[in-house]
């Protein structure tokens, strides 16, 4: 809902002009360069962008032209977006680590007229593919280092263009009015940006985002989290990623908050501490890395620190989230938590740079509940959302105090979500994309007959109205009885237990679900040591009765979890086995990014899969393996299969 | 049983019963602590910059005090005598650099240490020769150092603060702070740290080792002079003053030989704990604990942290 | 602008060593070695282990005093070179096993390199105001430019003793650059680096030479680096000069090949 000042501002440059008027002296951008943080106020930013727009005009940028932007987060690159939009041109950002070939494709496909590059490295890449883009008139760059001797007939520094623009304005004041007129020409229907998404198949698609829609979407989420001009954000995510464009560009212009750009990708952690953002986004991987780093630091700390940490983290786990959710908590506990904040949580959050975070989000993949609750227990208002580039961005988002680890939240304003018969999540959003650039065919493919957009993900709504994302839609199958079977969903739940390193679930077209498990050697060995379990080899440990009992407990817990939701209740794990060897990318069982190759594994271990479904209790296998030095060998083993109903229970009793 | 009570309970009871006495003791401990810190700083400066433990620091204190008093006795007005003594300490620093350090620059540290032994006896001899061996009075009044005392009625009793002590504490604190600031934030300070870290690297960057050494020994000389004036004013000027410098040893052990904050904290710890121990536990041991308590504390610290509370733990990648 | 005394134009001899002989007890480290370094060039000094390369740099730099021979710098004969004088004359040096101030941060190490350029005395510095502060800021700006150039922002405040070897070498180069030298002596700047680090280092050395015109003499073992970077090469073997030519010629010189093969075989 657009309110007050922001209403009727239907392009981003208009928002910039507005911010210059209502927040003039407040900082809009910061960048650490040569060791100092430099800042630009909204007024200064508008001045720079106006001059920049004039300069771009002189280079030949016209309404409707594409302006490619290639680099890391830098103020001048963000200004490139606005300057282009001012003239009615369309910015097209590319990933800084894209290779020349990808860049060549996008530049040619979008028919880029101008390109902005951050530094010599990016300029080199563009020059390498320049002949594929005959329409590319000029390349402008931010950092001049290393390009002194380059041919400057088609190369020019952004600083120089802005200076030229400034000179032009000084010489001819009527240009000011001209710029205002250009600004007014922009409207809600303009394409404000084209974001290329790399599909898993085929060439990247250019998602065209409409200006008015984008601003409306950003305004909704800004209101949702009450973001305003006093917030601070560190821009460290890829400039070309839709999420960054939303968080750092769209929302900042709507709310008027300040965006800080780090000195270099290596200094992000340090810059985070220096800036102390109030609004933060990180994919689950980032939080995982932070947790690991913290755990390692604590393990190395003095005994006293370790004891304090253990004690107060226990306090945090019990009361932290409840305090965050404003639930009633006994005063004694509150006091204890406050003491914990003084001694442990405060310093810890400070070291991570999160002391001032009011709102934090994570999204993109499933996050382990323990990890999620860890940060919430520390007092960080971490929430989840779900969305797509094509939706610009948000489809669902969790509200403060209605946060759960296993959902992505209820649907946001001005969005409608429907679950198709096969479980696919479909949506209609006021801010959805205009289409794929020059690709009517794939645009049609992405929509249903009645105008809903396909997300490609499968999910369901629970009783509280929160959306759960299960899996990629094409991976979701059905049991013979018709129950929904989402292998990755089940595998993720199993893998959230530290003792389980890898899991592969089977069940499509079968009567029930079964799975292979890999134990996590480090975690289980540690457990074995502490519980007096002896073993002579990986196989022995993997086959040990007490370990089986431990894993059975985990499987039982997952089954309980699945049973709790109507949509997934049908897929209960009835039998499982512990593999005699670890799944390995070298053997082709995992991809290089450690993802499970289900079909390959099913073929390779067909005997085991058959045994799981034909009721056998043991099965002998011989598996060919590749050792690290390249030699081949075979591992033979007798693998035991465990029933959740009776067999595992037997093992538990035997071990007791 | 009774013994345990005497050791672990009684002293605290006594502290509680006479808080004004406790405050008095704490004050005195603080003053002597600050002065210890100052002496320790003299050692730290030289050790950091030239890598040598200056055995002669103590005698430099005496020498400086004697020079000052001697000049005054010879008729030089007090403040001029002070200025001249500063000049003398500068000349001494230059002489030490040229005659002792430069010839021995690449020799093992133990040789340099022995050289400071020699320096000690040279200064002792010179002192006796020029100024005579009898005790003298420090010209405190002439240097405008206050005398008398302030009585504070507080904590149910009376706490007496000697004005001289107050002045001494302030002067020492200011000097310590100034030295710390110079060391950390000025170019000279950076050069000092550089020389302390690696002679070879310092040379190749163009830092003049000789210049730095003169500066450092001069600074140590000023510290010695200030120490001599203030200890001398509180007791008297004689060769016994040299012993005060030995008290710096436990301070250095506590604080680490190369840390300026360490010298400060170490000095305060030694000063406070020594006075407290003497007053409340001393009677149990027949008194006279001030002579050895600091060393015992230092020994215990050495057992757990050989490089002191603040000393540099050199972290290097293997 | 009047030419300062001893100003050397590009291409002319900046530093020459003439008939240098250096002995330690019974060992002859350098035997009658003569060669010159021209302004603006990158001069490589190569040779098998123990050939006397580092000793040569130490002589040029003033750490060792040769028994015989002379060094001519800027056309002037120098009887006694010492490290302080070398530094003041515009010669900066890095060391084979890295001589950094290990307890100080990267920033402090580089600022130490500005020592010679700092003019204001102690009094002004104590005030930390006025001219001394301006000077400190000006030097800091220079140092930050170097940090940006060498891409070491992330380790600005890390004590260098904690850095990996490759980064330490980079910091040492930075400190030498902070001296704004006319002649840069690099002793095996690439040792212990992986391929990517070596490429970066080569890039930096070439930039320094082309952008600032700094004359560079470097000792290096990696033949590929030598061929890529240097314009002329001196080859030492057992303290004697056995070749002095452009890289291509030196590569094919039979005496040079024999020296290397002889040692290895």
């Amino acid at each position: 809902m657009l309110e007050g000042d922001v209403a009727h501002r239907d392009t981003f440059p208009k928002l910039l002009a507005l911010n210059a008027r209502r927040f003039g002296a407040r900082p809009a951008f910061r960048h650490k360069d040569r060791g100092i943080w430099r800042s630009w106020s909204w007024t200064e930013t508008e001045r720079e962008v106006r001059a920049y727009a004039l300069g771009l005009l002189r280079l030949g940028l016209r309404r409707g032209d594409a302006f490619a932007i290639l680099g890391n987060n830098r103020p001048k690159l963000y200004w490139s977006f606005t300057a282009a939009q001012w003239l009615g041109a369309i910015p097209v950002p590319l990933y800084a680590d894209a290779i020349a070939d990808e860049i060549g494709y996008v530049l040619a496909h979008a028919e880029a007229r101008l390109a902005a590059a951050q530094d010599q490295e990016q300029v080199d890449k563009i020059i390498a593919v320049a002949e594929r883009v005959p329409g590319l008139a000029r390349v402008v760059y931010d950092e001049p280092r290393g390009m002194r001797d380059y041919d400057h007939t088609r190369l020019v520094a952004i600083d120089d263009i802005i200076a030229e623009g400034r000179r032009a304005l000084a010489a001819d004041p009527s240009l000011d009015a001209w710029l205002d007129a250009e600004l007014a020409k922009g409207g809600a229907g303009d394409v404000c940006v084209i974001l290329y998404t790399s599909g898993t198949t085929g060439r990247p698609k250019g998602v065209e985002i409409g200006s008015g829609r984008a601003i409306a979407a950003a305004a909704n989420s800004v209101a949702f989290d009450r973001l305003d001009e006093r917030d601070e954000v560190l821009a460290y995510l890829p400039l070309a990623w839709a999420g960054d464009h939303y968080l750092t560009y769209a929302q900042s212009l709507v709310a008027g908050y300040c965006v800080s750009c780090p000195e270099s990708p290596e200094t992000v952690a340090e810059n985070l501490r220096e800036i102390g953002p109030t609004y933060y986004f990180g994919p689950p991987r980032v939080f995982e890395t932070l947790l690991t780093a913290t755990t390692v630091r604590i393990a190395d700390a003095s005994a006293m620190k370790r004891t304090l940490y253990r004690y107060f983290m226990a306090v945090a786990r019990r009361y932290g989230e409840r305090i965050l959710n404003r639930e009633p908590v006994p005063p004694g506990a509150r006091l204890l938590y406050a003491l914990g904040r003084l001694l442990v949580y405060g310093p810890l959050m400070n070291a991570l740079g999160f002391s001032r975070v009011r709102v934090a989000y994570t999204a993109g993949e499933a996050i382990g509940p323990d990890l999620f609750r860890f940060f919430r227990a520390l007092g960080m208002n971490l929430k989840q959302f779900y969305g797509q580039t094509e939706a610009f961005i948000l489809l669902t988002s969790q509200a403060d105090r209605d946060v759960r680890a296993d959902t992505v939240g209820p649907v946001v304003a001005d969005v409608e979500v429907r679950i198709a018969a096969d479980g696919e999540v479909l949506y209609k959003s006021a801010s959805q994309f205009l289409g794929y650039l020059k690709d009517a065919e794939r645009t049609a493919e992405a929509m249903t007959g009645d105008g809903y957009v396909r997300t490609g993900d499968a999910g369901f709504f629970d009783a509280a109205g929160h959306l759960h994302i299960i899996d990629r839609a094409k991976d979701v199958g059905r049991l013979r009885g018709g129950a929904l079977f989402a292998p990755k969903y089940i595998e993720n739940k199993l893998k959230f237990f530290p003792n389980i390193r890898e899991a592969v679930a089977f069940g499509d077209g079968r009567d029930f679900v079964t799975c292979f498990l890999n134990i996590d050697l480090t975690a289980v060995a540690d457990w074995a040591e502490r519980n007096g379990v002896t073993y002579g080899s990986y196989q022995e440990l993997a086959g040990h009765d007490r370990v089986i009992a431990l894993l059975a407990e985990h499987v039982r817990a997952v089954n309980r979890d699945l049973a709790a939701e109507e949509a997934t209740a049908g897929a209960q794990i009835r039998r499982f086995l512990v593999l005699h060897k670890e799944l390995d990318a070298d053997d082709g069982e995992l991809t290089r990014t450690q993802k499970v190759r289900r079909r390959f594994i099913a073929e390779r271990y067909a005997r085991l899969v058959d045994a799981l479904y034909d009721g056998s209790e043991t099965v002998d296998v011989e598996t060919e393996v590749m050792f690290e030095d390249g030699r081949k060998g075979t591992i033979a083993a007798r693998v035991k299969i465990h029933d959740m109903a009776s067999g595992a229970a037997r093992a538990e009793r035997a071990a007791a | 049983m009774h013994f345990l009570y005497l050791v672990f309970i009684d002293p605290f009871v006594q502290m509680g019963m006479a808080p004004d006495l406790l405050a008095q003791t704490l004050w005195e401990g603080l003053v002597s602590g600050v002065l210890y810190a100052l002496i320790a700083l003299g050692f730290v400066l030289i050790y950091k910059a030239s890598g040598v433990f200056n055995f002669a620091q103590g005698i430099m204190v005496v020498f400086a005090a004697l020079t000052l008093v001697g000049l005054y006795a010879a008729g030089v007005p007090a403040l001029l005598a002070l200025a001249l003594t500063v000049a003398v300490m500068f000349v001494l620093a230059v002489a030490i650099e040229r005659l002792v350090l430069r010839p021995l620059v690449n020799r093992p540290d133990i040789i340099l240490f022995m050289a400071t032994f020699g320096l000690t006896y040279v200064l002792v001899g010179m002192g006796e020769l020029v100024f005579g061996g009898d005790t003298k009075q420090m010209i405190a009044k002439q240097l405008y150092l206050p005398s008398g005392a302030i009585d504070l009625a507080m904590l149910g009793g009376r706490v007496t603060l000697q004005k001289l002590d107050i002045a001494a504490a302030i002067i020492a604190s200011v000097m310590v702070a100034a030295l710390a600031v110079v060391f950390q934030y000025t170019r000279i300070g950076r050069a000092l740290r550089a020389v302390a870290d690696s002679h070879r690297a310092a040379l190749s960057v163009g830092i003049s080792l000789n210049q730095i050494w003169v500066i450092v020994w001069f600074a140590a000389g000023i510290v010695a002079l200030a120490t001599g004036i203030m200890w001398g004013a509180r007791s008297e000027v004689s060769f016994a003053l040299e012993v005060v410098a030995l008290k710096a040893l436990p301070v250095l052990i506590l604080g680490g030989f190369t840390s300026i904050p360490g010298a400060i904290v170490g000095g305060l710890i030694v000063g406070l704990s020594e006075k407290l121990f003497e007053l409340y536990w001393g009677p149990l041991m027949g008194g006279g604990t001030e002579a050895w308590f600091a060393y015992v504390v230092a020994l215990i610290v050495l057992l757990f942290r050989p490089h002191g509370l603040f000393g540099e733990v050199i972290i290097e990648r293997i | 602008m009047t030419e300062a005394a001893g100003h050397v134009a590009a291409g002319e001899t900046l530093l020459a060593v003439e008939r240098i002989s250096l002995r330690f007890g019974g060992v002859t480290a350098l035997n009658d070695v003569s060669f010159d370094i021209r302004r603006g060039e990158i001069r490589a000094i190569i040779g098998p282990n123990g050939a006397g390369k580092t000793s040569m740099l130490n002589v040029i730099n003033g750490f060792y005093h040769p028994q015989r021979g002379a060094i001519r710098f800027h056309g002037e004969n120098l009887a006694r070179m010492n490290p302080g004088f070398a530094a003041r004359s515009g010669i900066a040096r890095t060391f084979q096993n890295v001589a950094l101030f290990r307890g100080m941060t990267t920033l402090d190490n580089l600022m130490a390199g500005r020592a010679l350029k700092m003019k204001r005395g102690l009094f002004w510095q104590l005030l930390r105001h006025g001219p001394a502060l301006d000077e400190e800021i000006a030097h800091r700006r220079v140092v930050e430019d170097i940090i940006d150039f060498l891409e070491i922002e992330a380790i600005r405040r890390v004590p260098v003793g904690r850095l990996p070897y490759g980064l330490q070498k980079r910091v040492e180069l930075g400190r030498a650059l902070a001296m704004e030298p006319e002649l840069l002596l690099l002793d095996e700047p690439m040792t212990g680096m992986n391929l990517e680090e070596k490429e970066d280092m080569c890039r930096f050395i070439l930039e320094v030479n082309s952008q600032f015109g700094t004359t560079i003499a470097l000792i290096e073992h990696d033949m590929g680096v030598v061929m890529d970077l240097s314009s002329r090469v001196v080859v030492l073997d057992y303290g004697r000069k056995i070749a002095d030519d452009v890289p291509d010629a030196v590569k094919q010189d039979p005496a040079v090949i024999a020296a290397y093969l002889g040692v290895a075989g």
Side-chain angles (χ1 to χ4, degrees), chain A residues 27 33 48 53 73 164 192 233 239 309 383 528 538 584 622 646-647:
Chain A
D33 187 30
E48 297 288 299
N73 320 75
E164 236 185 78
C192 64
V233 162
L239 192 75
Y309 179 81
K383 310 190 276 179
Y538 177 86
D584 204 325
E622 248 183 50
S646 51

Side-chain angles (χ1 to χ4, degrees), chain A residues 125-433:
Chain A
K125 284 193 256 183
I126 297 177
I127 291 180
V129 296
E131 72 232 4
R132 287 170 66 170
V133 200
L136 185 65
R138 292 283 244 272
V139 176
V140 303
Y141 59 85
D142 185 12
E143 287 166 41
R145 190 181 291 291
M147 294 191 278
R148 242 174 354 113
D149 299 327
Y150 279 34
D151 172 17
H152 274 68
T153 44
R154 298 206 305 165
L155 202 59
V156 65
I158 294 181
D159 279 336
D160 290 341
I161 310 182
I162 296 182
E164 236 185 78
R166 237 183 269 129
R167 275 196 299 271
L169 272 171
D172 182 2
S174 76
L175 284 173
D176 254 326
W178 184 87
L179 279 169
D180 290 335
E182 278 306 293
L183 184 65
K185 279 201 211 153
D190 292 352
V191 175
C192 64
V193 68
I194 301 181
L195 299 165
Y196 275 83
T197 65
S198 50
T200 37
T201 53
R203 286 296 202 172
K205 300 178 278 209
V207 179
E208 293 179 290
I209 305 290
S211 182
R213 304 179 179 196
I215 293 179
N220 277 348
S221 55
V222 162
F224 184 74
D225 278 315
R226 288 180 301 281
L227 300 171
D228 63 27
E229 72 274 9
R230 293 166 298 172
D231 281 297
E232 296 265 353
V233 162
L234 184 74
Y236 74 103
L237 299 161
L239 192 75
W241 181 54
D244 180 77
H245 197 67
Y246 191 82
L247 293 162
T248 311
Y249 189 74
Q251 285 187 319
S252 83
L253 277 169
V254 168
Y257 59 67
C258 180
V259 169
S260 298
C261 299
E263 195 169 8
S264 79
E266 293 90 41
T267 60
V268 168
E270 191 189 322
N271 297 147
L272 203 57
R273 278 191 294 273
E274 289 169 340
I275 291 293
T278 59
Y279 178 40
Y280 179 80
F281 174 85
R285 219 169 313 128
V286 165
F287 288 103
E288 203 175 310
T289 315
L290 290 175
L291 177 56
T292 313
T294 306
T295 318
V296 167
R297 283 258 295 276
I298 294 294
D300 284 343
S302 65
M304 182 169 85
K305 282 207 188 130
R306 280 204 304 273
T307 325
L308 273 178
Y309 179 81
R310 253 201 313 269
Y311 177 74
F312 281 105
M313 280 318 295
V315 169
R317 280 187 219 279
R318 278 183 70 186
Y319 301 109
E321 224 182 317
R322 287 162 62 184
I323 293 179
L324 194 57
N325 288 335
R326 310 267 178 93
E327 290 167 27
V329 165
R334 235 176 243 280
L335 202 60
L336 210 52
Y337 188 82
L339 189 59
R341 181 174 300 129
L342 187 67
L343 295 174
V344 176
Y345 326 137
L348 183 55
M349 293 291 267
N350 203 22
L352 296 173
F354 293 150
S355 323
R356 301 203 304 157
V357 170
R358 266 195 321 114
V359 176
Y361 277 103
T362 186
E365 45 185 0
I367 184 168
D370 272 348
L371 178 62
F372 190 71
R373 286 193 205 110
F374 175 82
F375 283 97
R376 283 190 65 77
L378 287 178
M380 184 186 211
N381 185 17
L382 180 63
K383 310 190 276 179
Q384 298 190 59
F385 71 74
Y386 168 71
Q388 267 206 318
T389 308
E390 286 86 344
F392 199 65
I393 300 287
L394 291 186
L395 292 173
T396 66
S397 177
Q398 292 175 336
D400 294 347
R401 283 175 247 140
D402 186 24
V403 178
R404 285 162 44 194
D406 54 345
T407 79
V408 289
V411 178
V412 296
D414 296 335
V415 170
E416 230 186 277
V417 174
R418 204 181 75 199
I419 309 288
D422 62 353
E424 185 174 6
V425 176
L426 309 168
Y427 68 90
K428 229 190 232 177
S429 160
S431 59
Q432 73 192 48
F433 70 138

